[in-house]
Every structure is written in structure tokens, then in C-alpha cells.
Amino acid sequence: MVGLDDDAWNSIVQPVCLYPSSPPGASMTPSRDTNSDTISFHLDSFLATRENSIPLGLCSTHDSSVHLERGADNAGYRDVMIHSWNTSERTLDSGGFESRQRALVADAVVEPSESGARWLGIAYWHTVGRLFRGAVRARWRGERPRLTLLGGVTLLSFGLPELERSDDLVSCRYAIEGGLLASRAGGSVTLGQRQLADGFELSVVVEEYLPRLAARAGAPRWTGTLYAKGQSPFHAAVSRRYFDLLVSRADA
Amino acid sequence: MKVVVFGATGVVGTALLPRLASEHELVAVSRTARGDEPHVRWVEGDASSAEDVARAVEGAEVVYYLVHSLGSRDFERQDRAAAQNVADASEQAGVSQIVYLGGLGDDSPTASSHLRSRRETGERLASGATPVTTLRAAMVVGKGSAAFETIVALVDRLPAMITPSWVATPTQPIALVDIARYLAGTCGNEAMFGRSFDVGGSEVMTYRQMIERIAILRGRRPLIVEVPVLTPRLSSLWLHLVTPVGASVARPLIEGLKNPTVAREERIRSLLPFELTTFDTAASEAFAA
């Protein structure tokens, strides 16, 4: 665990990322997928009022009254509020892993264009690099990212970005092609922005990923501890910072 | 239409003048006296002088602000002051539009002093009543562009490079000819008044990929080793030693490389449609110039 900054640590060691406490006005229902090894938590209703908005960047969901405070270095950083976010993860019937993080914002963070979709992807890999202070970062072959440890060991490799844009959806999907943390090629990471009736949903979805560190089918659950306690929390931690980056850069 | 260009002797200004000269009454402002050219009237003046600026913009309808004091010790303060002069004088003279070339990534909360200065300059220009059109670009690929020349010098002079992690940052360089075309198309274009546009080049690439592409064009194969420990200060001193770019220019540039400089929108493509120049073509043209 190298090179993590304090904020990153806070978002990982506190259980708020995986098990967010319920902000005022929202209800949270824990549910166990019958085919799942993992309990997933969902906020049943996103918050509708600005009063209950959660400033994602600098506070945990334990305290929804904290507001963004920007120092001199952050001049011009707009006080964007993310109304709410949630995170869930589960194991699918196929044995693949699924992790979803979503955030609700009032305004679009990207326009429905190829550039907008590409930015969703680039910002995600940039967030990973910042979270780990460059120790884990993306390297690129053309537009194919490779997540590396110290610029060398390939943790995960990805295919070309598949950009999608329509009036209500902008997304960037990368197929997982291999790497040290994947037991085999398969699955994907999709970064998206979807227009809702009264705002926009930002999402990070890891689907059908087959982690090498997870427990194998039929094996005792403890054999997956390295994944559950070591790797898995980073999905939510990265997403949380990613949403923050997107909204902070949306007001150009 | 009377058009005034501040920063006319810079890389971008020089490429822009011929495009404007054919259609407009053009006044180019320079700190040193120059003889008039066909369709271009040169005016001696310094953007840091309110009097000089007021005299230059008198009667103008469009003002281009392409000034950048990068390399000066207090470039941030100088740029803010000059931009404020232009904003004030433009308002006073009833100018219809100010066109400004800013930097992609300048809105990042962790922006470098260079990019922060670009943003503040834009804010100062917009502080008056004159509508500002801001084009935000990453590295300009062309002869004389400091960032581009730095990379070319590295490729030409070093058989092996130990590079900091910023070489993995994505960027979207734009050809000099394309940025000049966009700037020229902005002149008096009312649909662009008071708006900001990202202007990306034809390809997204990392700085490492850029180094490799330039190396191929130059017939070289440098060994590149990335390390996470090189600080901007060390990097800039190294560039000072091995390239023509001074440390005072290199450091703010390098500090700006930690954040992606990639277009997030492409609205300008529908307003000013043309085929963008590829990186290889732009670089080859720069070498030939």
C-alpha cells in the first residue's frame, strides 16, 4: 500500500465508501443477493433537496453538513454539490465480479460528444494515478490503457475505449484484457453519464471482472480476503474521487 | 473590420496575421518598432502600459490577446496586469469582441502556476463589458512553440531518457496551422461571443507517445525509462542543460504536465468545421519550416 494520500486513506479505512450511512432524507436498505457472496447496500432514494446535498470531495457521508472549503490553490474551483452517491458490489452467477458506484449531479459534466465520452475515460485513469500518487498509474499504447505498478508491472490491461453518445447517455467502456490482477480476460469498466428526469447520473461500473485475488468457486470465503479487504475497497475510493474530479472540471 | 493583435510577434500571432490581413484592417502590436507590411500596420506598444493599450485599441472592433509573459520571474502578475489593461481599454473603446487563447486544463483545482495564470488572464479579460471568446488549447505543434521545441531537442540530443511520470499524462496537441485557423474563424463571429471552447488536435496521446512519434520522424530511437521520483525542479534544470529552453520557462511548463490537457467538448467543430492536421504532418511541417 504505497503512496496513498490522506484523503484516499480516509475514504478507504472508513466504511463509508462501501457502506454509506444514510444521509438525512434518504433510506438505505441492505440486501443480500441470493447468488452473491457480497452484501450490497443501496440508497433507496437519492436526495432531492440542496439542503441535503453531500459535498463529495472533502467529507465523508457521515457528515452531510460539511461544505467544500477551497484553499488558495483551488481558486476557481466551483462549489459543485453531488446530491448523493451510492456504491454496491456483488458476485454474479457467472462468477464474475460487479462493482457499481453512482452519483447524482444537477448539471451535465460532459457534453454528448466523442470528446465528452473520451474525457470520462481519461479522467478516470487520471484519478487512479492521483489516488496512488503515481505508484499505480495508467500507461498507454495508443488509446489502450494499462494499469501499472511503478510504471512496470501490469496490474490490468484494457482494450480500446468504446465511446457511446446519445442525447441522454455518454459513456466510455474499456474491456479488461488481462494483467496480474485478472484471472483471465473478461469484463469491463464503464464510465458513464446518463440524463435523468431531474439531473444527471454519473457512474462507474465494473462488470464481469474476474479478480485473481478473489475466492474461487467452492473455496472457503477467507481465501478471498486479500481481494475483499485489499483490492475491492479501491473501486469505491477511486470512483468517489473520480466523481469529484468530474464535477470540479465541469464548469470551464 | 479593424482588428488589433497583441502578441503578434509570437508563434501563434505570426501564424495568425496572414489569415486576418486578407480580410481585415489589421493592427499588430509589438514592443519593438517594426516597419509596416502589406495589409499589416505595426504599432509599437507594451500590453503592460495602459496608455499604449488604449492607443492601440482605439477604433478597433476585435482585439486578439495572445500575450504570454512565461519566462519572466513574475509572469503571473505581469499577465494579470496586461490583461486588465486590455479589458479596460476595450470596454472604453467599445470593442465588440476580445479573443483569447487560453490553456486546456487551466480549470483544474491542482493547476500549475502556468495554467493558473492562463485562467486568471482569461478572468481579467472578461472583467470588463467586452465579450470574450476563449479558445483553450494544449501544446501547439509548430516551429518556435516552446513545448514542442523542448521535446524535439530532447529527442535530438539524448540517446536515452530517464523521464518523470508526467510523460504518461494524456494530451491533445494541436497543429499551429489549425489553431491559427480557429482563431481567425473566431473574428467577429457573434455565435462565439462570450463563450469558451476547447480546441483539441486530431489525436490524443501521452507525452511519451509524442516523444516516440517525433523520434520516428527524426530517425532516432531513444531509450525511455520512466521513474516516479523526478521532481519538476529537477526536470526543469535538466531541460535547461540539454535543451534551448531555459529553466524559468521549462518549470512552469512541466508543472502543467501533471494534469491531462484533453478537450472535453468539441462545439467549435460544428461552428468552424475543417479537417484537422495530423500530429505527424504538423510536426513534419515544423521541421521543414
Side-chain angles (χ1 to χ4, degrees):
Chain A
M1 214 74 79
V2 289
L4 285 173
D5 61 27
D6 294 341
D7 197 29
W9 265 117
N10 289 340
S11 62
I12 293 166
V13 298
Q14 295 175 5
V16 297
C17 293
L18 290 175
Y19 313 110
S21 62
S22 178
S27 61
M28 188 171 73
T29 309
S31 62
R32 181 180 288 277
D33 189 317
T34 51
N35 299 313
S36 168
D37 290 335
T38 313
I39 296 174
S40 61
F41 283 75
H42 300 270
L43 291 173
D44 282 346
S45 60
F46 282 117
L47 305 181
T49 61
R50 299 286 290 182
E51 289 75 23
N52 289 330
S53 297
I54 302 169
L56 192 62
L58 301 178
C59 76
S60 76
T61 50
H62 288 306
D63 180 3
S64 62
S65 66
V66 178
H67 290 269
L68 291 171
E69 291 178 6
R70 305 293 182 192
D73 289 342
N74 297 329
Y77 195 175
R78 75 172 181 166
D79 188 10
V80 175
M81 305 296 278
I82 289 181
H83 288 214
S84 183
W85 86 304
N86 72 5
T87 179
S88 65
E89 46 187 28
R90 62 187 179 128
T91 306
L92 305 172
D93 290 343
S94 60
F97 172 83
E98 178 188 275
S99 172
R100 291 176 180 269
Q101 289 80 43
R102 301 190 304 163
L104 274 194
V105 292
D107 299 314
V109 298
V110 293
E111 62 164 33
S113 68
E114 190 175 307
S115 292
R118 183 183 290 112
W119 172 248
L120 288 176
I122 286 172
Y124 184 76
W125 301 117
H126 181 61
T127 305
V128 173
R130 283 177 64 180
L131 182 72
F132 290 93
R133 291 188 170 168
V136 175
R137 65 177 186 273
R139 291 183 61 176
W140 301 79
R141 179 162 297 163
E143 289 201 63
R144 304 157 77 101
R146 195 155 54 89
L147 207 54
T148 63
L149 177 64
L150 300 174
V153 180
T154 300
L155 300 177
L156 289 168
S157 61
F158 299 86
L160 286 168
E162 298 162 31
L163 309 178
E164 187 178 342
R165 58 196 187 281
S166 62
D167 285 345
D168 61 353
L169 175 69
V170 189
S171 70
C172 179
R173 177 182 181 275
Y174 294 93
I176 297 170
E177 294 188 338
L180 197 63
L181 294 180
S183 62
R184 61 178 166 82
S188 63
V189 179
T190 305
L191 305 317
Q193 171 189 276
R194 183 183 298 278
Q195 184 164 15
L196 306 175
D198 56 351
F200 291 83
E201 177 197 82
L202 309 177
S203 63
V204 177
V205 180
V206 179
E207 282 178 303
E208 295 287 356
Y209 166 47
L210 299 157
R212 191 183 297 273
L213 298 177
R216 303 286 166 88
R221 182 172 290 187
W222 65 265
T223 59
T225 301
L226 260 180
Y227 178 77
K229 302 294 184 189
Q231 182 184 348
S232 167
F234 287 107
H235 293 289
V238 169
S239 297
R240 179 176 156 164
R241 290 201 137 212
Y242 170 65
F243 296 145
D244 196 26
L245 175 71
L246 288 180
V247 295
S248 72
R249 298 286 294 273
D251 195 27
Chain B
M1 189 184 297
K2 182 179 177 184
V3 177
V4 176
V5 179
F6 288 92
T9 55
V11 173
V12 176
T14 303
L16 174 64
L17 292 186
R19 292 181 176 273
L20 294 175
S22 58
E23 295 181 28
H24 305 287
E25 178 194 347
L26 190 56
V27 176
V29 184
S30 167
R31 277 179 291 190
T32 52
R34 298 172 68 129
D36 287 347
E37 299 164 17
H39 309 294
V40 182
R41 183 164 66 87
W42 284 91
V43 171
E44 188 178 349
D46 191 330
S48 63
S49 160
E51 293 77 27
D52 287 359
V53 172
R55 197 171 59 247
V57 304
E58 200 177 326
E61 290 177 69
V62 177
V63 170
Y64 279 84
Y65 187 83
L66 306 174
V67 175
H68 198 353
S69 308
L70 193 63
S72 309
R73 183 166 292 181
D74 57 349
F75 71 90
E76 292 179 81
R77 188 192 59 76
Q78 287 184 31
D79 278 345
R80 277 197 303 269
Q84 192 65 57
N85 287 340
V86 171
D88 294 344
S90 297
E91 182 175 353
Q92 195 72 28
V95 171
S96 306
Q97 180 191 27
I98 297 173
V99 181
Y100 170 59
L101 180 59
L104 273 176
D106 63 1
D107 54 337
S108 167
T110 57
S112 64
S113 58
H114 166 230
L115 288 175
R116 198 167 57 233
S117 170
R118 299 279 73 199
R119 182 180 67 219
E120 289 170 355
T121 299
E123 290 167 357
R124 291 296 176 109
L125 289 172
S127 65
T130 309
V132 177
T133 302
T134 302
L135 306 190
R136 301 162 71 240
M139 176 194 289
V140 173
V141 181
K143 180 80 176 170
S145 162
F148 178 70
E149 296 287 0
T150 301
I151 290 182
V152 173
L154 285 173
V155 168
D156 283 350
R157 298 178 186 195
L158 299 177
M161 302 181 204
I162 296 174
T163 58
S165 56
W166 54 255
V167 296
T169 306
T171 185
Q172 196 168 0
I174 185 166
L176 178 59
V177 65
D178 290 347
I179 195 71
R181 199 166 174 180
Y182 274 135
L183 285 165
T186 303
C187 186
N189 189 332
E190 290 185 16
M192 302 175 79
F193 281 17
R195 299 174 71 187
S196 175
F197 300 88
D198 287 1
V199 287
S202 61
E203 298 162 77
V204 174
M205 61 182 71
T206 63
Y207 291 95
R208 179 182 178 134
Q209 289 171 321
M210 200 186 301
I211 290 170
E212 290 167 345
R213 296 274 287 273
I214 290 173
I216 290 170
L217 292 171
R218 305 290 273 186
R220 304 181 72 91
R221 294 186 62 185
L223 174 67
I224 301 172
V225 180
E226 285 179 43
V227 295
V229 292
L230 272 178
T231 64
R233 179 175 165 76
L234 276 175
S235 299
S236 60
L237 290 174
W238 177 239
L239 290 182
H240 182 81
L241 279 175
V242 300
T243 75
V245 178
S248 60
V249 173
R251 186 167 181 184
L253 282 177
I254 288 171
E255 286 173 342
L257 303 183
K258 64 187 176 189
N259 290 315
T261 45
V262 176
R264 301 200 307 268
E265 49 88 8
E266 54 198 40
R267 287 170 288 139
I268 200 167
R269 300 294 303 278
S270 56
L271 290 168
L272 302 172
F274 62 87
E275 191 171 339
L276 291 167
T277 309
T278 65
F279 177 82
D280 288 356
T281 302
S284 299
E285 286 174 356
F287 301 148

